[in-house]
Amino acid sequence: MNGMVEVVNKNIKKIIKKMTVNYKDWHEMLPFALLAYRTSIRSSTEATPYSLVYGMEAVLSAEVEIPSMRKRLTALCHGQCYQQRMAKAFNKKVRLREFSPGDLILWKVLHVALDSRGKFTYKYDGPFIVKEVFDGRAIILNYMDGNENALSVNADALKKYYP
């Protein structure tokens, strides 16, 4: 299975190493290590192996006796849901700037100019002409007189120029 069993065994071995004091008692910690592995969330599937097999989360015996632990886990889930909602709301407001060859743009000044005028210093250089746009939001610029700029620029440092 493409080494999947070896990866699982390696992870369980790491868990057992952290739990044992002496190498002779590893067999006593094996059930606890397996439980920890089966009930921990994997980042690749964002689910536990137990929930993938049985379709529901495992209820530990301690959770039955101590309901506050289940409440803490539920609160943790709500915290993750809150983070996802906040990220979705933030990403909804983000506007991607679309550039195409021939557009006039301004390039944000990221360095301190020698003739710095404090807050009255120019914030953008330009205008420039977009020569080529790549998939990774990299853009090659030309000067207005036709000379090509040697650097590719990230689109985050650009804005459209309207004469």
Side-chain angles (χ1 to χ4, degrees):
M1 274 192 53
N2 301 335
M4 296 294 282
V5 174
E6 287 82 6
V7 172
V8 170
N9 289 341
K10 179 182 71 171
N11 290 335
I12 292 173
K13 188 177 175 182
K14 283 182 186 178
I15 294 171
I16 290 175
K17 279 184 182 179
K18 292 178 183 177
M19 294 174 69
T20 58
V21 176
N22 156 353
Y23 70 92
K24 293 181 183 178
D25 63 348
W26 69 268
H27 63 281
E28 295 172 2
M29 295 297 162
L30 182 61
F32 301 110
L34 289 172
L35 180 68
Y37 182 79
R38 291 174 184 154
T39 58
S40 59
I41 295 176
R42 303 281 166 263
S43 60
S44 59
T45 59
E46 295 191 7
T48 65
Y50 187 92
S51 68
L52 292 174
V53 172
Y54 297 106
M56 60 184 220
E57 289 296 329
V59 177
L60 305 176
S61 59
E63 292 176 13
V64 173
E65 295 174 13
I66 307 169
S68 65
M69 185 180 288
R70 174 63 83 177
K71 289 179 185 175
R72 271 188 252 147
L73 290 174
T74 305
L76 179 65
C77 272
H78 286 301
Q80 290 173 348
C81 291
Y82 174 74
Q83 285 180 341
Q84 290 173 352
R85 283 196 314 263
M86 292 301 291
K88 185 178 177 182
F90 175 79
N91 291 336
K92 194 186 302 184
K93 293 181 181 180
V94 173
R95 291 183 307 161
L96 290 178
R97 297 184 205 131
E98 298 295 328
F99 299 104
S100 58
D103 286 348
L104 293 176
I105 56 105
L106 297 173
W107 185 9
K108 187 169 190 158
V109 175
L110 300 175
H111 63 278
V112 177
L114 295 176
D115 62 341
S116 179
R117 300 179 202 154
K119 66 181 179 180
F120 300 110
T121 305
Y122 295 115
K123 306 289 189 269
Y124 287 90
D125 276 342
F128 296 94
I129 300 172
V130 175
K131 178 183 178 189
E132 193 173 353
V133 179
F134 296 102
D135 290 337
R137 311 244 324 127
I139 296 176
I140 295 179
L141 303 177
N142 280 348
Y143 289 103
M144 290 295 287
D145 60 0
N147 295 332
E148 184 177 329
N149 191 351
L151 298 174
S152 62
V153 181
N154 191 332
D156 293 337
L158 302 176
K159 72 177 184 177
K160 285 198 176 182
Y161 173 69
Y162 301 100

